[in-house]
Amino acid sequence: MAQMLTYKILSEHLVEGKLAAGQLIAIRIDQTLTQDATGTTAFLLYESMGGSRVKTDLSVSYIDHNMSQFGPENHNDHLYLQTVAAKSGVYHSRAGNGICHQVHLERFGRPGVTLLGSDSHTPTGGGVGAVAIGAGGLDVAVAMAGGPFYLTCPNVLGVRLTGDLSDWVSAKDVILKILSILSTKGNVGWVVEYFGEGVSNLSVPQRATITNMGAELGVTTSIFPSDEQTKKFLTAQKRKEHFRELAADKNADYDRVIEIDLSGIEPLAACPTSPGNVKTVSEIAGMNTRQIVLGSCTNSSYTDLMMASEVLKTRRINDMVEFAIAPGSRQVLNMLADNGALSDMIAAGARVLESGCGPCIGQGFSPADGVLSLRTFNRNFPGRSGTKGDSVYLVSPETAVASALTGKITDPRRLGDLLGIDCPEIEMPNEFIIDDTMIETPPGKEESAKIEVLRGSTIVMPRMPEELPAEFAGQVLLKCADKITTDHIMPAGKFLKLRSNVPEYAKVVFNCFNEKGKPTFAQLALELNQKGIAGVIVAGDSYGQGSSREHAALCPMYLGVRAVIAKTIERIHKANLINFCIVPIEFENPSDYEKIKVDDKLRIPSLLDAVRAADTVSVKEENGRYEFTGRLELSGRDRKILLSAGLLNYIRRKADG
Ligand code: MIC
Ligand code: SF4
């Protein structure tokens, strides 16, 4: 049978199950990546599983998120991660070397491998033809220990690309176009696979922008074939030997196909406050902007920044605009410094930020009150920039730089008329500067045994969940709407530095819903927990959208939350809930959501039995006001994990026989 590329790679890695959409399968993982904000927990859990040398072909630990270093927390994390990586046989990419996804693509990504990363934008690796999947830190820890990764065998959406991009239109506009078609909801369990003659018109960095922001669709991953463009990229990275040609068979039988004519795409923007709220730039043009950032793992490649520098050369950014660049990696920064593009941008008035996540995760550069901020990032969830009530528009580097010159949202195609600027032709270089000195190779077995792992006082092993109660008595702590993101649940920004200390970080669970003068979510949850009452969160559609951060399960669990009842729950978050023994329940009849109020007391008399074997569970309001059926969409393995009080216990029990 003519096979899809995704299935070809999955079948080469299949260790359990059958490749049929909807079935639980397990795959061998070749490579893992972790970043510091999720990595400390991942490595603490890895250590608690025995922590010998990793069993993968390659594991890399990156420092890129937490680099603001207010107080000792961030540096404690860096030192812990550096030493634990060396001890575990893991490569360590130091602070300053760049964003995990950009660096991984440049230096390690290769066609045909499986990559599991504790970051939702791991699918960036699909740009070089890898099956690259984001997951919670504990799942990545299991993969580092040699365990397979379990997932639902996906349906595959084929995106047939035709044509070529017009001037001033770029890869970001392609993925925004796809987001406008597929939206951020309802794509769980799918993989997006690109094919068609238009594919060859996109370079690897462009493909990586598209697969990166595919995360916002909520799909398992996105992937491009590996072809001449891939070979060119790997050759320029002096890794030609990693090239392998890969594509779907002709007439591969996709579950659904959509067609995108690249030449028909125009500049697009995701408007506040969702990456799926897409409009054309020409529709919103003219609005004043005071802050613009070019960076993040979506759009900070060499070609993105070269385009910006060509446009800015000999010009000045608008006086009313603060414009910053955050090159995605030290390689990109080095190349810009080497060829003079950096000084062109500095001369134009750009602020140069560190190579890292920075403003994308609220680490500085927050916009002023009421200011419209343009960013080349992938997420504009409310408050993610660090400013409450922010107004963030996600755009391409072309739109960002055009707007930086005018001070207004500007369709870059108008730059010719407005300022006499022609669209620059930027080619990917034949050779990138290769300097891996900021990537530490782990020492051999004997040397690594001598390494002392440094654990600052802010690095605390998280407590693991207790067994589920046979008779579930819970109370609704919070009822929230659709599209609750992990940024709502576990804020980043100034709280990001608490990632390695769950008792402290848990204090800000659902901080955005806390009201001045009233008890916080955390206080209410702990109070209930002390009375032996489990906390329940009720939500609408797409609960847990966004990041892979397992703290969005780990911290509520620490506070005593034992069930989430939602219309639908997103893939990575659902897995994290199960890993930390919070029962994910989805309404059989979504209108039952309306019946529930905050503080309602809910009973699930047969919870354990249901988790053991049933697909539904009956939930009763304590005073008999209502009763409804919840769906338990769980695999056999999920059930065992929940019955074992979480994944870590499940693994330990399995090892004990
Ligand atoms: C994000 O973009 O939200 C993050 C920060 O990279 C997260 C990971 C995290 O929360 O540490 C992600 O995308 O998974
Ligand atoms: Fe970092 Fe932003 Fe990319 Fe997340 S989306 S990895 S915070 S740059």
Side-chain angles (χ1 to χ4, degrees), residues 35 37-38 65 119-121 361 379 384 487 499 547-549:
Q35 42 86 341
T38 54
H65 282 63
D119 192 283
S120 64
H121 290 103
I361 194 60
R379 291 187 173 144
R384 183 173 157 105
D487 282 83
R499 284 287 174 90
S547 83
S548 68
R549 64 190 71 151

Side-chain angles (χ1 to χ4, degrees), residues 65 99-101 119 121 296-297 357 360-361 378 384:
H65 282 63
I99 306 174
C100 55
H101 309 301
D119 192 283
H121 290 103
S296 91
C297 56
C357 299
C360 180
I361 194 60
N378 48 38
R384 183 173 157 105

Side-chain angles (χ1 to χ4, degrees), residues 512-534:
C512 60
F513 296 134
N514 288 335
E515 287 174 46
K516 252 204 178 118
K518 292 198 178 154
T520 62
F521 177 94
Q523 287 164 337
L524 290 171
L526 279 177
E527 211 173 284
L528 277 189
N529 193 32
Q530 272 150 18
K531 294 185 201 150
I533 303 172

Side-chain angles (χ1 to χ4, degrees), residues 4 7 18-25 152-156 189-190 255:
M4 301 170 285
Y7 274 39
K18 239 183 82 203
L19 276 188
Q23 301 284 308
L24 182 74
I25 55 169
T152 307
C153 184
N155 284 293
V156 182
W190 285 78
D255 298 290

Side-chain angles (χ1 to χ4, degrees), residues 241-291:
E241 67 282 8
H242 291 165
F243 175 69
R244 175 183 166 201
E245 193 172 342
L246 278 174
D249 292 330
K250 272 215 166 73
N251 305 322
D253 197 10
Y254 291 106
D255 298 290
R256 183 184 163 197
V257 173
I258 59 173
E259 185 155 329
I260 305 273
D261 176 4
L262 296 173
S263 53
I265 296 180
E266 60 178 303
L268 297 169
C271 305
T273 51
S274 167
N277 187 14
V278 177
K279 295 205 168 104
T280 61
V281 171
S282 58
E283 260 176 279
I284 55 168
M287 289 159 84
N288 285 335
T289 171
R290 299 275 177 260
Q291 193 203 50

Side-chain angles (χ1 to χ4, degrees), residues 213-422:
M213 205 172 168
E216 274 47 73
L217 297 164
V219 294
T220 306
T221 191
S222 305
I223 188 167
F224 272 85
S226 170
D227 56 8
E228 281 305 308
Q229 289 277 11
T230 322
K231 191 170 174 184
K232 191 171 165 208
F233 178 77
L234 291 172
T235 308
Q237 291 288 350
K238 296 210 176 72
R239 299 199 289 121
K240 195 173 161 192
E241 67 282 8
H242 291 165
F243 175 69
R244 175 183 166 201
E245 193 172 342
L246 278 174
D249 292 330
K250 272 215 166 73
N251 305 322
D253 197 10
Y254 291 106
D255 298 290
R256 183 184 163 197
V257 173
I258 59 173
E259 185 155 329
I260 305 273
D261 176 4
L262 296 173
S263 53
I265 296 180
E266 60 178 303
L268 297 169
C271 305
T273 51
S274 167
N277 187 14
V278 177
K279 295 205 168 104
T280 61
V281 171
S282 58
E283 260 176 279
I284 55 168
M287 289 159 84
N288 285 335
T289 171
R290 299 275 177 260
Q291 193 203 50
I292 302 175
V293 203
L294 208 164
S296 91
C297 56
T298 315
N299 271 129
S300 57
S301 65
Y302 170 77
T303 35
D304 286 340
L305 281 135
M306 277 311 292
M307 185 282 307
S309 83
E310 284 298 309
V311 173
L312 291 178
K313 209 176 192 162
T314 71
R315 300 188 172 88
R316 287 280 312 168
I317 55 163
N318 185 279
D319 285 345
M320 295 308 290
V321 171
E322 284 194 9
F323 175 71
I325 57 163
S329 69
R330 182 163 164 267
Q331 182 183 74
V332 173
L333 184 56
N334 238 337
M335 304 235 352
L336 300 175
D338 205 55
N339 68 12
L342 189 62
S343 46
D344 288 338
M345 287 193 276
I346 293 170
R351 287 173 59 180
V352 184
L353 307 183
E354 207 171 358
S355 283
C357 299
C360 180
I361 194 60
Q363 298 298 295
F365 213 71
S366 302
D369 291 321
V371 152
L372 188 159
S373 178
L374 283 193
R375 296 165 170 228
T376 63
F377 305 169
N378 48 38
R379 291 187 173 144
N380 55 352
F381 301 146
R384 183 173 157 105
S385 68
T387 299
K388 214 174 175 171
D390 54 7
S391 179
V392 173
Y393 289 70
L394 307 173
V395 294
S396 68
E398 288 77 359
T399 301
V401 86
S403 310
L405 288 172
T406 60
K408 295 179 187 331
I409 295 187
T410 301
D411 185 331
R413 294 172 303 176
R414 299 222 46 233
L415 278 182
D417 289 347
L418 291 174
L419 300 167
I421 305 176
D422 291 335

